[in-house]
Amino acid sequence: MPIKLSKKDSDKYYCMPSKKILYIAEDYLTSKVHHSLCAKLGEQGVPIMVFTVERDANKNRRLQEDLDTSNYQVATGKNDFSAFLYKYYFPYKIRTKYRLLTDKIDLNTVKATYAATLFSEGALAYQLYKKHGIPYVVAVRNTDIAFYLSKMPHLWKLGREILRHADSVVFITPSLRNRALRHRALSSIRTEITEKSEVIMNGIDPFWLENIRKPVTNANPFSLIYVGNFSDAKNLPRLIRACDRVRFKYPKLTLTLVGGGGNEESEVLNLVKLHPDWIILKGKTNDKPTLRDYYRAADIFVMPSDDTFGLVYVEALTQGLPILYGKERGFDEIYPENTIGCHADITDENDIAQKIEYLIANYPDLTKNIANLDFVEYDWTIIAKRLISKL
C-alpha cells in the first residue's frame, strides 16, 4: 500500500498516542533501508515517526514501489527553501530542517531521536538535544567519513560534539568504525566513541533469506556480474577496464551489468558498445526473482565501490557467489579477507584486475566458505531488536 499519513499535510503536528522515537533520515524517500528498519521497529511495538525532507534533486530517485507504513508514521518537510543554500551552506541546511521538523512534529511527544547519519541528521538531533533535552542515537555512514570528515574540516568540531553527546553511536560496518576511529578529527574522543559504539549492519529483503542457494561448483568461473546504478561511487568504468585486462589471461571472461542511471551512465554505455562481445547489458530490474536468476547464472559478483554497506553484496552471497568489494569501504572487514571474497583499491585498475584473477583462481575454496555462512545477522527483525536496546 502507498505511503499514507494519518493527518492531512496541512496539519501542523503529527502526533502518536504515546512517546515516540523520532527517526530522522533525509534519504528516506530514496532508500528502502530506512523503511525496512522502521517497519520492523513498529512490529516490535516501538512507536516510530520518520522525519524526512522532500527535495527537487531527489524527485527522480524516489522509490517506485509502494510502501506499507502501517507500523509507523512519516512527516515530510516540503521544499520551500533555497536548493543552492541547502546544498552548499551547512548552517542554512540545519536551520531549515529544524524549522520544517518543528512545524510538523510536537516535540513533547518525542522520547528519543535516531539520526541516520552523523552530520546531516546528527546535527539536527544535537539541536533537539540542546534545546529540548531529547536524547539521541546517531549512526555513522560512509558519506560522514568520505565527505564531511575528509572534505569539510570546519565541521570537525561539530562532529565531535554530536558524538560526545550521543547516548550511543551506531556504525553500519566494522570498516566504517575503524576508519572513523583512525581519523585525526576524532582522535581526542576516540576512547569515548569506542566505549559507546556498536556495529549494527543493514539487513536485506526477506526474499533473499528465503531463497538462499548453496554455491555451485564451476571449473571455469568466468561469468562476472555487477548490480547497481552507474554513478561515480560505483566505480564501474574502472571495473570494466580492469576486466578488459583480465581477459588477456582469461579470454572467456564475461561481465553482466544489471542496472542503469547515474552520472557515469554515458561513459558506461560507450564502454559497452566498445566491448559487445563480452559485456552483457541487462538494464534495471526491480523484480527479485529475475535478479535472483541473474545472480544464479553468474559465478562471481564484482563491485569495487565506495558504498556505505551495499546490500547487493549480501544478496550475491546468498546465491553462492564470491564477491569483490572496495578496500577500506563499507563491506570491507565484515568477513576475514580472502575467505568469501576480497577487497580491491577502488582507484587502481591494476589492483582490481589482480583481485578478479584471485577470485577466479581460488573459486573452489571461496565457495566452500560461503556454503557455511549464516545470514541471520542480516534479518531486519534481529537488527531492530538490537537497535531497540540503544533507544
Side-chain angles (χ1 to χ4, degrees):
M1 61 183 293
I3 293 175
K4 292 181 179 179
L5 304 182
S6 61
K7 294 188 176 185
K8 292 182 179 179
D9 215 36
S10 58
D11 286 354
K12 179 177 177 61
Y13 292 128
Y14 292 79
C15 300
M16 297 182 76
S18 61
K19 289 280 188 175
K20 58 181 172 283
I21 301 300
L22 175 60
Y23 188 110
I24 307 175
E26 186 165 321
D27 64 343
Y28 168 83
L29 297 172
T30 60
S31 172
K32 195 179 178 182
V33 165
H34 304 298
H35 161 72
S36 298
L37 178 54
C38 289
K40 290 301 180 181
L41 288 169
E43 283 183 10
Q44 300 300 315
V46 179
I48 294 288
M49 165 64 74
V50 174
F51 173 73
T52 190
V53 177
E54 188 173 90
R55 297 171 56 194
D56 288 340
N58 289 335
K59 282 186 176 179
N60 294 330
R61 297 174 53 226
R62 291 190 64 155
L63 295 172
Q64 298 300 310
E65 58 187 318
D66 293 333
L67 302 179
D68 179 1
T69 62
S70 57
N71 290 328
Y72 65 97
Q73 292 181 297
V74 182
T76 304
K78 296 301 181 181
N79 184 356
D80 63 352
F81 47 84
S82 167
F84 179 84
L85 290 175
Y86 191 89
K87 181 176 181 179
Y88 294 106
Y89 186 49
F90 192 77
Y92 175 85
K93 177 177 185 174
I94 300 306
R95 288 199 302 268
T96 299
K97 291 175 75 167
Y98 184 84
R99 172 178 59 82
L100 294 172
L101 187 151
T102 54
D103 187 55
K104 288 286 184 181
I105 299 171
D106 181 359
L107 297 179
N108 291 318
T109 67
V110 177
K111 173 186 176 182
T113 302
Y114 177 84
T117 63
L118 170 57
F119 284 95
S120 185
E121 277 76 43
L124 184 54
Y126 180 48
Q127 287 292 313
L128 295 175
Y129 167 78
K130 288 196 302 180
K131 295 182 179 182
H132 304 278
I134 301 173
Y136 63 94
V137 174
V138 63
V140 180
R141 284 178 158 78
N142 186 62
T143 186
D144 295 312
I145 300 173
F147 179 69
Y148 285 103
L149 287 182
S150 297
K151 301 179 181 180
M152 305 187 77
H154 60 287
L155 294 180
W156 286 1
K157 181 179 179 181
L158 173 62
R160 288 192 293 269
E161 289 300 298
I162 295 170
L163 291 168
R164 284 186 61 245
H165 290 93
D167 281 6
S168 298
V169 179
V170 173
F171 291 95
I172 306 303
T173 68
S175 175
L176 287 174
R177 181 179 183 177
N178 292 335
R179 287 167 63 196
L181 293 176
R182 289 195 301 264
H183 201 287
R184 61 192 180 99
L186 306 181
S187 60
S188 62
I189 58 170
R190 183 174 294 129
T191 300
E192 186 176 352
I193 298 174
T194 301
E195 291 175 349
K196 64 179 179 181
S197 68
E198 184 175 351
V199 174
I200 301 179
M201 295 187 295
N202 290 333
I204 58 174
D205 191 283
F207 174 86
W208 301 105
L209 299 178
E210 296 164 1
N211 287 272
I212 294 173
R213 183 190 73 157
K214 294 297 182 181
V216 176
T217 302
N218 188 346
N220 299 297
F222 303 140
S223 177
L224 278 52
I225 186 171
Y226 165 94
V227 178
N229 63 41
F230 299 166
S231 66
D232 53 358
K234 303 296 184 179
N235 207 28
L236 190 49
R238 189 174 282 117
L239 170 64
I240 292 174
R241 290 190 291 268
C243 288
D244 199 25
R245 295 188 183 193
V246 176
R247 279 177 51 80
F248 283 103
K249 184 173 183 179
Y250 298 108
K252 293 184 179 180
L253 181 141
T254 63
L255 174 63
T256 298
L257 305 179
V258 182
N263 59 353
E264 289 191 334
E265 182 174 47
S266 295
E267 183 178 358
V268 171
L269 294 180
N270 286 334
L271 288 169
V272 172
K273 290 179 181 178
L274 286 175
H275 306 289
D277 54 326
W278 61 271
I279 301 180
I280 303 120
L281 181 62
K282 293 293 187 179
K284 298 179 183 179
T285 180
N286 292 318
D287 184 70
K288 295 180 184 66
T290 298
L291 183 55
R292 176 198 59 197
D293 292 343
Y294 287 155
Y295 282 130
R296 292 183 176 183
D299 301 310
I300 296 170
F301 179 81
V302 287
M303 192 176 79
S305 79
D306 199 21
D307 279 336
T308 291
F309 181 71
L311 297 177
V312 287
Y313 294 121
V314 188
E315 292 175 2
L317 287 173
T318 67
Q319 302 310 300
L321 275 61
I323 59 176
L324 176 71
Y325 44 91
K327 183 179 180 179
E328 297 183 347
R329 296 307 189 268
F331 206 79
D332 199 8
E333 301 179 37
I334 292 178
Y335 298 99
E337 183 65 2
N338 300 329
T339 57
I340 51 83
C342 59
H343 63 217
D345 183 340
I346 66 172
T347 66
D348 187 341
E349 290 178 19
N350 185 56
D351 189 50
I352 295 172
Q354 289 179 355
K355 296 305 171 61
I356 292 173
E357 292 182 6
Y358 175 89
L359 293 174
I360 294 173
N362 293 274
Y363 186 80
D365 291 335
L366 295 168
T367 52
K368 287 179 183 178
N369 294 331
I370 293 171
N372 294 321
L373 290 181
D374 184 351
F375 295 99
V376 67
E377 60 188 327
Y378 303 108
D379 185 324
W380 279 115
T381 300
I382 302 299
I383 293 166
K385 289 180 178 179
R386 291 183 64 191
L387 186 57
I388 288 172
S389 67
K390 305 295 177 184
L391 297 170

